[in-house]
Amino acid sequence: MVQQSFEDKILGCVDRGMASLGESATKAILWHIEHNSRLKRKEIPTKPKEFIEALKEMLGPGGVCSRKTDREGSAFSIWNFK
Amino acid sequence: MLSLEESAKGPHPDWKKASRTTNTGLESFLNQGIRTILIKGEPGTGKTLLGLELLKRHGRGVYLSSRVSEKGIFDQYPELGTLLKEGRVKVAKPQKSAKFEDIRLANAATVMESILESITKLNEPLVILDSWDTVAKELDSVERMKAEKALVTIADARKARIVFISENPELASTDYAVDAVVTLKDEVRDGRRVRRIEWNKLRGSDVPQKSHLFSLFGARFKLFNPVESKLPQGYKPKQFLRIKNSMDSYSTGSKDLDALLGGGMKKGTRILLELGKYLGSDWHLPLTTSIACNFISNGGCNMSIPTSGLTPENIKESRLRHLNAETVESSLRIGHFGETSSSEKCLFQMDPSSPMKSFEQVWNETDKIRTDENGGRRACLMFLGMDKLEAVFRPENLAQLDARGAAMIAHYGDVGIFIAKHSTKRKDSLADVVDTYLKLDEMDGALTICSLKPPSRIYHVEYDHSRGYPDVKMTPVA
């Protein structure tokens, strides 16, 4: 069984968080962030601040981040959007 | 967020900015609180033109078309080409290449990429999605709602405005997501085209009037606000600038009205002017003032029996505002049945006991002003308030004067304008004998006019007082 890497978990959280925006908006936002902020999706786990700033610029106060701990005790971030 | 201490001091300062405003037409869309707009309507109702008008007023933005090609858009909407040349609008490039490609074959994500690109590149732009249906139809209902929610959030954050254009008349998720919803309608009234915009939703504004009349004449969206009929006291009056008569017609003083009448009022003719049921008592005064002042300015004279709701003094004052006193004294006569005790030269009291006597009085007074200063005879413009006459005399007694009056008007080359109201009993019989039958009416608060005989389309009437006198401007409701 292949263990999910930390980066994959983060990206999973990002995907779940942005699911509230829908697939089309998510694709468009990530494309926009990649082409304007030069931040690729795979770089998000290593550059969370840049990602948050880019989201805030796009969505305003609607881009809200919070931290939660899962049942396994591993800390990861859930990105909640209005 | 306010702290408890701050909350105790009173409402958040930002709440003051969000106070309700009153809907004043298209400007309502550009209020601070409106970020997203949905324009609905069947094909051909003017949705694209409304979007372009908003784009022009906003001053900068992007137009995304999923329905026609770039060339097609500019061919159909020259206004867009003008905005583009002025650099105030961009036509979106939805693909990632530099070359323009229309988005007719683009998917929702690509369209949203274009929107994001535009919103971030331009400062507070207005983005038109024409049409949102084309994009939304490929999404299921949940995805569609999420996409709309995302766009609303992005528009708010970036201080952009997004206009969704839709041909779906049903309530959809977009209706709930946006700040403003309007529906454009193309209707028929008495066999004539009428265009209406219905205000379904306008967040943060009072909407005292559910719908307004509008026109697409000249490929421009023009919304008609409720009429402002200013009596002379409402503005700074100036000398009336006449339009010259032609060989066979008298100008009304309005180029647009002359055009409706086929070049002006033909000499020796009778016109029936019906005033709609819900018109104010003075809404027609600027129109008749323009006609009278132009007629007098061209060397003619004016006999007037006012309709109820207008006094002899109202009539005289309306002429005096734009013509010199000496000309008015020598060229105007106003008949009344005792509404005023004034003994001014222009006014004369008619005999209410006999229509025949009153008729003779009218023609005698007309003869007095018909002779000009050189001894020549001049034409007379006669306004006859039929509702006033019917209030004094029985309608059947008035009927016997028709033939004689018609003969005299024709003989002298005069113009007789019978002003009838909704309840005027002789309206239909007059309609049978006059040469022209006009109806001045009210629709959604706006003033309209059309010719019923011969038939014409409906026109919006605006009284333009910018030159110091009522200039009657008419726009086809097309």
Side-chain angles (χ1 to χ4, degrees):
Chain A
M1 185 171 146
V2 176
Q3 279 226 320
Q4 206 181 17
S5 69
F6 178 75
E7 286 79 10
D8 288 338
K9 287 183 180 176
I10 294 292
L11 289 174
C13 294
V14 170
D15 290 340
R16 283 194 293 280
M18 294 187 76
S20 65
L21 295 173
E23 191 182 332
S24 307
T26 299
K27 280 183 186 172
I29 289 171
L30 290 176
W31 173 85
H32 184 81
I33 290 175
E34 181 173 335
H35 283 80
N36 287 276
S37 305
R38 302 285 177 231
L39 179 64
K40 295 181 180 178
R41 183 175 177 275
K42 64 182 180 184
E43 294 175 325
I44 291 173
T46 56
K47 296 180 181 177
K49 282 186 182 174
E50 288 86 341
F51 181 60
I52 292 169
E53 286 308 311
L55 279 181
K56 281 185 177 175
E57 190 189 332
M58 192 91 50
L59 301 172
V64 173
C65 307
S66 66
R67 291 184 69 83
K68 275 196 176 178
T69 307
D70 70 356
R71 283 176 292 182
E72 295 166 320
S74 304
F76 60 90
S77 303
I78 297 177
W79 311 87
N80 294 322
F81 300 93
K82 272 179 160 183
Chain B
M1 280 288 291
L2 286 178
S3 65
L4 283 174
E5 291 79 12
E6 286 168 323
S7 297
K9 292 177 188 173
H12 195 288
D14 288 344
W15 293 355
K16 291 179 188 170
K17 295 178 194 172
S19 60
R20 294 182 76 82
T21 55
T22 300
N23 177 10
T24 54
L26 293 186
E27 294 308 314
S28 310
F29 288 127
L30 304 177
N31 283 344
Q32 195 176 10
I34 303 295
R35 291 277 166 220
T36 46
I37 301 159
L38 171 61
I39 301 174
K40 298 165 66 166
E42 291 180 359
T45 49
K47 301 182 295 295
T48 299
L49 281 175
L50 174 55
L52 291 177
E53 184 63 29
L54 293 178
L55 187 56
K56 186 175 179 195
R57 286 174 185 237
H58 185 77
R60 61 203 171 278
V62 178
Y63 180 85
L64 274 159
S65 173
S66 64
R67 296 183 300 118
V68 292
S69 66
E70 181 181 13
K71 182 180 182 305
I73 276 291
F74 292 126
D75 284 345
Q76 292 173 33
Y77 306 107
E79 188 73 15
L80 184 58
T82 307
L83 292 172
L84 198 67
K85 278 181 193 168
E86 292 172 358
R88 291 158 69 188
V89 69
K90 289 185 177 184
V91 182
K93 298 176 184 179
Q95 304 303 327
K96 297 175 184 60
S97 65
K99 191 173 82 171
F100 171 80
E101 290 179 35
D102 66 52
I103 60 168
R104 286 177 291 178
L105 300 180
N107 58 29
T110 312
V111 170
M112 294 192 76
E113 284 168 17
S114 294
I115 297 171
L116 288 177
E117 186 79 0
S118 308
I119 286 179
T120 49
K121 288 273 190 305
L122 292 170
N123 179 30
E124 300 184 17
L126 185 143
V127 178
I128 301 179
L129 289 177
D130 189 6
S131 67
W132 177 235
D133 300 330
T134 315
V135 175
K137 70 173 187 272
E138 69 181 54
L139 304 173
D140 64 39
S141 57
V142 173
E143 273 298 310
R144 175 177 173 155
M145 253 192 325
K146 289 181 177 178
E148 287 163 355
K149 191 168 115 177
L151 285 171
V152 168
T153 304
I154 292 167
D156 194 50
R158 301 291 306 183
K159 294 187 182 176
R161 294 180 204 269
I162 301 180
V163 177
F164 299 87
I165 292 182
S166 170
E167 289 179 359
N168 176 17
E170 306 294 326
L171 270 181
S173 55
T174 326
D175 293 70
Y176 297 99
V178 300
D179 299 319
V181 181
V182 293
T183 303
L184 304 188
K185 296 197 169 181
D186 185 3
E187 300 170 340
V188 176
R189 180 168 159 166
D190 296 330
R192 292 167 174 82
R193 167 174 255 159
V194 171
R195 292 192 186 270
R196 280 197 158 96
I197 175 171
E198 274 188 8
W199 305 88
N200 306 116
K201 177 181 174 186
L202 197 61
R203 221 170 252 162
S205 287
D206 291 324
V207 187
Q209 191 165 317
K210 176 70 175 175
S211 64
H212 283 84
L213 219 57
F214 73 90
S215 175
L216 301 178
F217 184 70
R220 284 287 306 273
F221 187 98
K222 185 167 183 181
L223 186 141
F224 300 128
N225 286 317
V227 66
E228 287 183 26
S229 166
K230 294 179 184 173
L231 283 178
Q233 287 76 18
Y235 64 101
K236 194 172 178 183
K238 290 183 182 173
Q239 185 76 14
F240 192 91
L241 293 176
R242 68 167 180 161
I243 297 177
K244 285 185 182 177
N245 296 330
S246 66
M247 288 294 291
D248 61 348
S249 300
Y250 304 115
S251 171
T252 59
S254 160
K255 288 180 186 172
D256 295 335
L257 186 54
D258 285 348
L260 176 62
L261 296 173
M265 302 180 291
K266 298 290 184 283
K267 295 179 181 179
T269 57
R270 291 175 296 166
I271 297 171
L272 172 60
L273 174 64
E274 180 187 348
L275 306 180
K277 187 175 183 181
Y278 299 107
L279 284 191
S281 59
D282 62 349
W283 286 19
H284 65 289
L285 184 59
L287 174 70
T288 54
T289 298
S290 171
I291 296 173
C293 286
N294 200 72
F295 201 92
I296 294 172
S297 297
N298 271 294
C301 58
N302 174 211
M303 163 64 67
S304 185
I305 299 173
T307 54
S308 54
L310 291 175
T311 65
E313 285 82 2
N314 289 147
I315 302 298
K316 183 173 180 183
E317 187 63 25
S318 71
R319 307 326 185 226
L320 273 176
R321 285 280 173 167
H322 311 294
L323 302 169
N324 70 57
E326 193 182 325
T327 303
V328 171
E329 292 286 327
S330 64
S331 305
L332 174 66
R333 287 295 181 270
I334 306 168
H336 64 91
F337 292 97
E339 297 95 322
T340 177
S341 56
S342 171
S343 57
E344 286 188 51
K345 184 182 173 185
C346 289
L347 279 53
F348 68 96
Q349 184 162 348
M350 297 159 68
D351 187 346
S353 66
S354 163
M356 188 58 69
K357 284 184 184 175
S358 286
F359 181 87
E360 295 295 343
Q361 280 178 295
V362 168
W363 284 105
N364 289 340
E365 291 293 330
T366 303
D367 275 342
K368 289 177 186 175
I369 54 174
R370 194 186 286 284
T371 306
D372 64 24
E373 54 195 18
N374 299 317
R377 298 188 71 81
R378 53 181 177 172
C380 184
L381 168 71
M382 310 185 82
F383 286 116
L384 302 170
M386 298 308 298
D387 61 322
K388 177 65 68 65
L389 290 171
E390 283 190 2
V392 177
F393 305 117
R394 296 159 68 98
E396 54 269 26
N397 292 341
L398 289 171
Q400 60 186 283
L401 301 171
D402 277 352
R404 193 168 163 202
M408 294 178 82
I409 287 171
H411 173 75
Y412 289 109
D414 294 342
V415 173
I417 299 182
F418 303 94
I419 304 178
K421 292 196 175 175
H422 178 75
S423 58
T424 300
K425 294 181 179 57
R426 298 199 57 241
K427 190 172 58 181
D428 289 341
S429 54
L430 282 170
D432 288 340
V433 299
V434 296
D435 305 285
T436 305
Y437 180 0
L438 301 175
K439 183 167 184 180
L440 194 67
D441 209 347
E442 170 273 336
M443 263 189 228
D444 291 337
L447 196 59
T448 63
I449 193 168
C450 73
S451 176
L452 300 179
K453 176 182 173 181
S456 80
R457 57 166 74 171
I458 295 175
Y459 294 82
H460 169 259
V461 175
E462 179 194 351
Y463 297 134
D464 178 6
H465 290 86
S466 61
R467 295 204 280 180
Y469 56 84
D471 188 3
V472 180
K473 300 271 177 68
M474 290 161 47
T475 307
V477 179

